[in-house]
Amino acid sequence: MRLSSYLRKAAIGAAAIPLLGGCTGERGTGGAVERAAERPASWTDLPVRTGARDVVHTDTDHQSYKVRITVKSLVRGSKEDMRGARVDEELKGMVPHYLTFKVTNTGRKEIPAAHMADSNLALNGIDWTRGEEVYVSGGRPGGGDLPCADTAPKTLAPGDSYDTCVTYALPEGVGVLSLAYNDDGYLDEGGAVATWPVEGGLEAASAELAEPGDVVRVRWDAREDGVLELPATLVSVRRGSAADLAGLDLDLNENERRGVPYYVSITYTNTGPKDLYADQADRVRLLTEGGRQIEGKTPFVLDTKIPGCPSDWVARMVPPGDSVTECSIHMVTDDDDKPFAVGFAEAGRPGLVGWRAPFH
């Protein structure tokens, strides 16, 4: 079943429009100034798991700082909130979500550009849509104030804190799965992940997935013959061991080398009129409860045999009417972020189709 139409990485340095204490603040020359803004009846408090998580902020100079993020509230606004605001045209009609939280410097170094300390936060939709962090200027229809304002200081000394908020836009009708913070800055690469789940989000995400063993038609890149829709079936998801990968050239980063491999096997059937070259394993994603999409890896050595990862795809053509099973290797780098499902990134179309994962 279809999962997402927006799949964007959380970019380091993305700007936020923060919110102060329940979406009613602004920053002035003297710091944070509260203002009484009437809360629209269309806003909804979302049941996010609040509380503090200790994370590592890595800035654009690759300097690392210890930070504590304390989530306080998450409010779903209305698309009307942005109608009178000056935002990118592609964001109009999307629904803003206002995240209020505290940032604390728990390390021994001053953090320059303190507003960047929360730049690795991401809002994940129940279809693994990545919420778009947005700039907003202007005001709500009727001249009302914007519900968010930036309260970050220029620098943050050891032990100091500030309360702030970020606004994320999601497509209309998409619920929230979780908030996540990745120490490496990219949620789909190896690294520690802190998560704040939203109650009911995982159940809602599960409802959008196919069952293990169900046939799902995927958009397969047939190269010079264009894109074909082929039947695909998730066969298995198996937890492996680092010992399985000894000696393999998998292009793993430092975090991935310390991680746990999961082997995802999918069978595809060639219903087209021509032979197909079977090389779609890099389109498979292992989806986690925290909202990550962990891309698959395959060995560069063609005759590699990995226990628990049977594959007959290597360097061969699939004739019309035949089936092929491909196995991809996905490195899970955080024990607290559990694998949950498998997705396939479709060719020629933004989005995923996916299955609940049968773990072995």
Side-chain angles (χ1 to χ4, degrees):
M1 299 180 69
R2 175 150 303 283
L3 294 181
S4 171
S5 59
Y6 287 81
L7 299 172
R8 304 186 181 189
K9 285 191 175 180
I12 294 178
I17 49 170
L19 196 125
L20 175 66
C23 309
T24 58
E26 67 178 358
R27 185 181 178 188
T29 55
V33 178
E34 292 192 19
R35 62 172 180 247
E38 183 179 352
R39 174 175 167 138
S42 58
W43 288 8
T44 303
D45 291 300
L46 300 182
V48 63
R49 182 181 298 172
T50 57
R53 305 285 189 277
D54 290 322
V55 300
V56 176
H57 163 55
T58 302
D59 66 14
T60 54
D61 293 325
H62 305 291
Q63 298 298 309
S64 297
Y65 305 89
K66 294 182 178 180
V67 172
R68 179 169 296 143
I69 304 290
T70 305
V71 168
K72 296 187 174 183
S73 68
L74 179 63
V75 177
R76 178 186 291 124
S78 166
K79 62 182 181 180
E80 300 296 324
D81 295 347
M82 293 202 295
R83 180 167 294 177
R86 293 185 292 275
V87 297
D88 292 342
E89 193 65 30
E90 65 183 34
L91 297 176
K92 292 184 178 180
M94 298 180 73
V95 178
H97 292 69
Y98 308 124
L99 172 64
T100 306
F101 57 99
K102 176 187 285 188
V103 178
T104 304
N105 182 353
T106 58
R108 298 181 178 181
K109 300 182 292 184
E110 181 178 80
I111 301 176
H115 70 281
M116 296 289 291
D118 57 59
S119 60
N120 295 346
L121 270 171
L123 183 77
N124 303 301
I126 62 170
D127 60 355
W128 277 265
T129 299
R130 194 64 44 75
E132 188 77 13
E133 190 175 352
V134 296
Y135 296 96
V136 174
S137 61
R140 294 200 303 268
D145 291 323
L146 288 170
C148 277
D150 190 350
T151 60
K154 291 183 177 179
T155 61
L156 192 64
D160 282 359
S161 301
Y162 65 90
D163 290 294
T164 190
C165 158
V166 172
T167 296
Y168 298 93
L170 284 174
E172 188 173 13
V174 174
V176 180
L177 172 65
S178 66
L179 302 164
Y181 188 104
N182 185 268
D183 288 351
D184 283 357
Y186 295 98
L187 286 170
D188 302 330
E189 296 181 3
V193 179
T195 60
W196 294 262
V198 172
E199 183 179 346
L202 198 59
E203 291 79 3
S206 179
E208 297 296 319
L209 297 167
E211 295 290 344
D214 284 353
V215 176
V216 174
R217 298 190 70 84
V218 301
R219 290 173 60 84
W220 174 292
D221 182 5
R223 300 188 175 183
E224 65 272 8
D225 293 323
V227 175
L228 303 176
E229 287 196 359
L230 302 184
T233 304
L234 176 64
V235 177
S236 66
V237 182
R238 298 181 181 274
R239 180 185 172 113
S241 166
D244 300 341
L245 310 181
L248 297 185
D249 186 2
L250 281 179
D251 190 25
L252 303 179
N253 64 32
E254 183 177 349
N255 288 315
E256 289 170 332
R257 284 193 290 271
R258 295 194 296 264
V260 177
Y262 281 76
Y263 310 130
V264 176
S265 295
I266 298 177
T267 296
Y268 309 90
T269 301
N270 180 7
T271 57
K274 298 181 179 180
D275 290 354
L276 292 179
Y277 185 75
D279 61 348
Q280 302 294 302
D282 61 347
R283 293 188 174 274
V284 178
R285 309 287 186 263
L286 185 64
L287 307 177
T288 71
E289 295 180 0
R292 293 177 68 194
Q293 302 170 32
I294 303 176
E295 296 185 5
K297 300 176 182 289
T298 53
F300 293 110
V301 181
L302 296 182
D303 60 354
T304 297
K305 300 296 183 183
I306 302 173
C309 193
S311 184
D312 59 6
W313 67 270
V314 177
R316 79 175 182 89
M317 304 298 288
V318 185
D322 276 10
S323 297
V324 62
T325 298
E326 297 184 14
C327 181
S328 52
I329 303 167
H330 305 256
M331 303 303 298
V332 176
T333 57
D334 193 318
D335 290 338
D336 294 328
D337 193 19
K338 305 298 184 184
F340 168 62
V342 170
F344 184 94
E346 298 202 278
R349 178 188 295 168
L352 298 177
V353 292
W355 301 262
R356 296 185 187 90
F359 289 101
H360 299 285

